[in-house]
């Protein structure tokens, strides 16, 4: 572990071009996918949590099942669809960052929906009562509800980001771990491990954790400020 | 706010201290990895501290490991996952031709043949005597042909050979080669799914099946679909104590028989890779070990089908004191990279 720490520091200080590329691809992929999933998942989650309609229970159970979708299965699905012989072959998306983002969004969105749904279902009755007492319209009730969710949304975003930066099964399948193009931290760690360069793998893992720590500190501070 | 920040700082410092404390220990014993020794019997005790697994059997004719280039045929009988024919699969034939032409040029063959001599003190790959040499023109990249998808086996990638060769090709002719590395079985499947323009693999039987199914094509300037150009050797590795005594066996077949006889642990790749295919051909026929999991159900007390990459399997072999078949290039790279957890 000690030599790995030295290597990690050395790697960062050397500003190795390939490492910088891996870092930038990782950042691009995980930021894009977590934000897209947030945009999709939060409205759906609030809708599922706040509204009562027939078939809601089925949707909730279906969504919770999707939360357990194994990343490799998700990756395999996208691989088959966008393969050279797959139905979407003309889009030429296989082994690009775009398809990695798509696979990640498919994996993360159910988690966001479920988290939002659980939270909103808990606070919705109270919010509805307050809104009724104040005589607020439907839209204003919705706005009030969203306002109550801000703290939760930030927590959920952190979850989404952590999940997408740490994921390896799906991205290695659809991205192919191609150097200078689709190689992210996790797939690079796998490659180093296969070459026996364990300390280099651990070094990359440390950089990954440090990045995660930074993002978490920034967002937690933001969360505190917003919730005050 | 300030309290939180200082708390965080303390956490980070504690983490750093713990990590540095751990750093002290390996620093004392952390002698540099000794160069992998060739001597089959006399593994020095110092080396045993770092990597106990060593080469026990090599340079047997049965252990020759030949690498072959195959260009993917755009008019191959591609089928989708449901078995329906797909006719318009995009394959960059011009790019594949250029890369194959360059790989068979004298310049590239010399580079491949000399790869590793400076770093490891010996050849990792040898150029085949009868490798066809290409002397004609090599087409430079155009907008449509500049991206070449090469699907390849892990050994040429993990040993660093491709990282050594490809940049020269890319900078001279303007192509970008996207390398995807997996076991030979997976690499061939990637081509069958229309995700590769050419493949570089090492399993004769699987290559021939690929050609027979019509997935390969003959490249201009060559006579056959399969272009075998470099080789190295598989090596049988195991614990330096060598309980099965394979180092003293006359042939590699006897060595495998001795391992099976004594039920000494053996790690199999188990992933339809070229190495796995080779290993299956070396067991005594009476055992009936094939790629099918049912065929070794009775041997699970010593035959371990890992279904993992070469590196992961080497770690397992090291941890379990097991025997393992590997290509020499990957083994040497693995050892040189300090391939053992501290």
């Amino acid at each position: 572990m000690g030599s790995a720490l030295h290597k990690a520091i050395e790697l960062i200080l050397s500003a190795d071009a390939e490492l910088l590329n891996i870092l930038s691809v990782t950042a691009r992929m995980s930021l894009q996918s977590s934000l897209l999933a947030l945009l999709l998942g939060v409205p759906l989650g609030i809708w599922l949590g706040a509204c009562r309609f027939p078939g809601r229970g089925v949707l909730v159970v279906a969504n919770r099942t999707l939360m357990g979708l194994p990343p490799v299965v998700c990756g395999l699905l996208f691989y088959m669809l966008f393969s050279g012989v797959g139905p979407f072959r003309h889009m030429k998306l296989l082994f690009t960052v775009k398809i990695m983002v798509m696979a990640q969004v498919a994996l993360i969105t159910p988690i966001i929906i479920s988290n939002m749904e659980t939270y909103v279902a808990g606070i919705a009755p109270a919010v509805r009562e307050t809104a009724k007492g104040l005589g607020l319209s439907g839209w204003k009730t919705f706005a009030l509800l969203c306002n109550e969710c801000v703290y939760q949304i930030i927590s959920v975003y952190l979850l989404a980001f952590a999940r997408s930066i740490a994921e390896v099964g799906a991205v290695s399948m659809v991205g192919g771990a191609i150097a200078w193009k689709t190689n992210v931290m996790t797939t690079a760690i796998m490659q180093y491990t296969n070459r026996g360069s364990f300390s280099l793998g651990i070094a990359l893992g440390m950089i990954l954790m440090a990045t995660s720590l930074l993002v978490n500190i920034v967002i937690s501070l933001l969360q505190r400020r917003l919730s005050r | 706010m300030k309290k939180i920040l200082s708390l965080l700082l303390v956490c980070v410092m504690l983490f750093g201290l713990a990590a540095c404390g751990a750093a002290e220990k390996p620093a004392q014993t952390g002698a540099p990895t000794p160069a992998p020794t060739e001597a089959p019997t006399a593994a020095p005790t110092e080396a045993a501290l770092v990597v106990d697994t060593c080469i026990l059997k090599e340079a047997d004719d049965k252990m020759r490991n030949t690498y072959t280039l195959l260009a993917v045929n755009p008019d191959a009988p591609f089928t989708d996952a449901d078995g329906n024919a797909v006719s318009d699969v995009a394959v960059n034939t011009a790019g594949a031709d250029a890369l194959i032409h360059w790989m068979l040029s004298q310049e590239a063959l010399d580079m491949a043949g000399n790869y590793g001599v400076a770093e490891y003190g010996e050849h990792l790959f040898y150029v085949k005597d009868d490798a066809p040499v290409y002397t004609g023109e090599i087409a430079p990249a155009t907008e449509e042909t500049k991206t070449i998808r090469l699907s390849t086996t892990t050994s040429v990638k993990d040993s660093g050979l491709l990282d050594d060769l490809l940049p020269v090709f890319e900078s001279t002719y303007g192509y970008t080669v996207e390398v995807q590395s997996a076991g030979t079985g997976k690499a061939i499947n990637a081509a069958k799914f229309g995700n590769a323009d050419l493949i570089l693999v090492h399993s004769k039987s699987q290559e021939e099946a690929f050609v027979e199914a019509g997935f390969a094509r003959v490249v201009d300037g060559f006579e056959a679909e399969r272009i075998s150009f470099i080789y190295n050797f598989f090596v049988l590795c195991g614990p330096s104590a060598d309980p099965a005594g394979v180092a003293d066996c006359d042939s590699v077949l006897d060595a495998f028989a001795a391992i099976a006889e004594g039920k000494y642990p053996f790690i199999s790749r188990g992933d339809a890779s070229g190495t796995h295919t080779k290993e299956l051909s070396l067991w005594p026929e009476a055992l009936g070990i094939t790629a099918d999991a049912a065929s070794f159900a009775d041997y699970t007390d010593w035959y371990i089908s890992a279904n993992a990459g070469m590196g992961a399997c080497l770690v397992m072999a090291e941890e379990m004191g097991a025997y393992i078949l590997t290509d020499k290039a990957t083994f040497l790279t693995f050892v040189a990279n300090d391939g053992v957890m501290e």
Side-chain angles (χ1 to χ4, degrees):
Chain A
M1 288 296 278
S3 67
L5 190 72
H6 287 165
K7 269 213 174 113
I9 294 166
E10 250 176 50
L11 256 180
I12 298 169
L13 292 182
S14 71
D16 176 59
E18 189 169 8
L19 175 75
L20 290 182
N21 181 266
I22 290 174
L23 281 175
S24 89
V25 174
T26 310
R28 209 150 25 109
M29 189 222 26
S30 47
L31 285 175
Q32 276 180 15
S33 55
S34 54
L35 284 173
L36 265 176
L38 196 74
L39 283 180
L40 275 173
V42 166
L44 280 173
I46 293 180
W47 174 62
L48 267 183
C51 302
R52 294 285 174 272
F53 52 89
R56 178 182 168 275
V58 177
L59 280 181
V60 169
V61 171
N63 181 60
R64 286 181 183 165
T65 312
L66 281 179
M67 269 170 74
L69 179 71
V72 271
V73 174
C74 176
L76 187 60
L77 214 70
F78 275 84
Y79 182 85
M80 298 303 260
L81 289 176
F82 290 89
S83 232
V85 297
F88 301 124
R89 59 183 173 278
H90 301 298
M91 299 171 77
K92 297 210 165 160
L93 280 179
L94 196 69
F95 306 149
T96 62
V97 176
K98 275 187 196 147
I99 191 174
M100 291 159 82
V101 170
M102 284 162 64
Q104 293 269 40
V105 168
L107 276 175
I108 302 167
T109 309
I111 299 173
I112 295 185
I113 294 179
S114 177
N115 265 280
M116 289 309 296
E117 183 265 322
T118 317
Y119 180 76
V120 170
I123 63 162
V127 170
R128 208 175 283 132
E129 208 151 287
T130 316
K132 207 181 261 171
L134 292 170
L136 294 179
S137 66
W139 277 111
K140 284 201 171 146
T141 313
F142 182 72
L144 185 66
L145 192 64
C146 289
N147 191 41
E148 290 295 311
C149 290
V150 170
Y151 192 87
Q152 177 71 7
I153 290 174
I154 295 175
S155 299
V156 166
Y157 177 71
L158 278 181
L159 184 71
F161 179 78
R163 174 87 198 221
S164 79
I165 202 173
E167 209 282 321
V168 62
V171 292
S172 68
M173 203 158 238
V174 297
I178 295 165
W180 301 104
K181 191 179 177 196
T182 57
N183 207 6
V184 290
M185 304 275 270
T186 47
T187 50
I189 292 173
M190 266 174 63
Q191 274 183 0
Y192 286 131
T193 312
N194 249 339
R195 287 176 210 180
S197 322
F198 295 121
S199 43
L200 215 55
I202 301 266
L204 262 189
M206 284 178 174
I207 298 174
L208 186 96
M209 291 311 292
T211 321
S212 212
L213 178 70
L214 259 177
V215 171
N216 269 288
I217 291 175
V218 170
I219 295 188
S220 300
L221 290 179
L222 185 80
Q223 192 177 26
R224 246 157 230 289
R225 180 144 302 170
L226 277 178
S227 64
R228 238 174 226 173
Chain B
M1 188 72 92
K2 268 186 185 161
K3 266 186 193 166
I4 297 164
L5 272 177
S6 51
L7 206 70
L8 264 172
L9 210 68
V10 169
C11 282
V12 171
M13 280 164 75
L14 275 177
F15 177 72
L17 270 177
C20 290
E24 304 286 315
K25 276 177 247 160
Q28 287 157 5
T29 51
T33 322
T37 171
E38 282 271 310
T41 43
T45 42
E46 259 180 311
L49 282 176
V50 185
V51 180
D52 185 55
T53 305
C54 60
I55 295 174
L56 296 167
K57 199 87 200 153
E58 67 171 321
D60 192 309
D61 261 353
K62 283 255 179 215
M63 303 279 258
R64 205 177 241 258
N65 175 24
T66 308
Y67 292 88
T68 303
L69 277 164
L70 291 139
V72 177
N73 180 5
D75 303 319
F78 290 107
T79 54
D80 67 13
D82 299 323
N84 303 315
V86 179
S87 58
D88 56 342
V89 175
V91 175
N92 179 4
T93 51
D97 283 1
L99 181 52
I100 289 179
H101 285 155
W102 184 78
M103 290 284 252
L104 272 304
S105 69
Q106 197 59 52
E107 179 195 12
L109 289 176
D110 288 346
M111 281 177 77
N114 291 322
Y115 176 69
V117 175
E119 209 173 326
Y120 305 101
E122 59 181 303
H123 295 270
L124 294 192
F125 297 92
Y126 304 89
V127 177
K128 268 188 87 179
D129 295 336
D130 57 350
V133 179
Y134 183 79
T135 49
E137 286 283 303
I138 296 170
T142 65
E143 201 49 46
E144 288 90 55
T145 64
K146 70 176 180 193
T147 307
I148 304 169
R149 299 169 302 169
L150 168 63
S151 189
T152 177
T153 170
T154 45
S155 43
V156 284
K157 171 93 174 138
D158 288 352
S159 63
L161 177 69
L162 288 180
D163 290 339
D164 195 50
L165 293 183
L166 293 179
V168 179
F169 170 71
E170 291 177 325
S171 61
T172 314
Y173 299 99
Y175 291 95
T176 308
V177 184
E178 296 182 349
V179 181
Q180 239 227 307
S181 69
T184 290
K186 281 184 198 144
I188 286 180
N189 262 332
K192 285 188 174 174
F193 275 118
N195 298 328
D197 301 319
L198 73 159
I199 56 176
L200 170 53
V201 290
H202 64 144
S203 169
K204 195 176 177 194
S205 55
Q206 293 185 57
E207 290 156 20
E208 280 169 345
F210 185 75
V211 171
E212 219 154 276
F215 281 98
R217 66 188 166 86
V218 180
V219 176
D220 285 342
F222 298 95
E223 279 157 17
E225 288 92 346
R226 293 177 61 238
I227 306 167
S228 302
F229 68 123
I230 51 172
Y231 69 93
N232 64 8
F233 289 97
F234 285 114
V235 287
L236 176 58
C237 297
S240 55
D242 192 11
V246 301
D248 302 327
C249 289
D250 287 337
S251 74
V252 69
L253 291 180
D254 293 347
F256 270 73
I259 294 171
E261 180 96 357
K263 301 198 174 197
Y264 296 102
F266 183 92
I267 309 280
S268 165
R269 287 279 295 277
D271 62 351
S273 58
T275 312
H276 184 210
T277 314
K278 183 64 176 183
E279 170 226 310
L280 293 175
S281 73
L282 295 173
W283 292 110
E285 258 176 56
L287 289 177
I289 294 178
T290 65
D292 181 15
S295 67
F296 51 83
D298 295 338
Y299 312 129
T300 47
D301 48 336
W302 61 274
Y303 185 83
I304 297 139
S305 180
N307 192 11
M310 198 71 251
C313 288
L314 282 168
V315 177
M316 278 179 88
E318 172 74 17
E319 294 296 322
M320 301 173 70
Y323 289 94
I324 186 166
L325 184 75
T326 165
D327 66 285
K328 196 170 174 182
T330 306
F331 183 73
L332 292 184
T333 329
F334 189 82
V335 174
N337 279 338
D338 239 348
V340 169
M341 303 271 197
E342 287 153 1

